[in-house]
Amino acid sequence: MLPLILFYVFATILVAAAVAVIVSRNPVYAALSLVLCFVTSAAIWLLIEAEFLAIVLVLVYVGAVM
């Protein structure tokens, strides 16, 4: 039950951050929203026990954006 609730929480944050990337006029805010997208999608990867993919997503993509 808890993984399902966490999935919906992370999915809601992910969709909101993705909309913020598109709507934001300031490129800095858009980049920070993109980082939030990557972190929440990594959290979803962790929920399905794909730790390696979550770490690679955070290290490669968040590192490239920042």
Side-chain angles (χ1 to χ4, degrees):
M1 185 68 182
L2 182 63
L4 184 66
I5 293 170
L6 285 175
F7 171 77
Y8 282 120
V9 167
F10 288 134
T12 304
I13 294 170
L14 180 62
V15 169
V19 169
V21 169
I22 296 169
V23 174
S24 179
R25 289 184 176 266
N26 189 346
V28 175
Y29 293 149
L32 290 176
S33 297
L34 188 62
V35 168
L36 182 62
C37 285
F38 289 143
V39 169
T40 53
S41 60
I44 292 174
W45 279 107
L46 286 174
L47 285 175
I48 61 172
E49 297 178 359
E51 292 88 7
F52 177 74
L53 292 175
I55 296 300
V56 166
L57 183 105
V58 169
L59 288 178
V60 172
Y61 289 112
V62 173
V65 168
M66 294 309 280

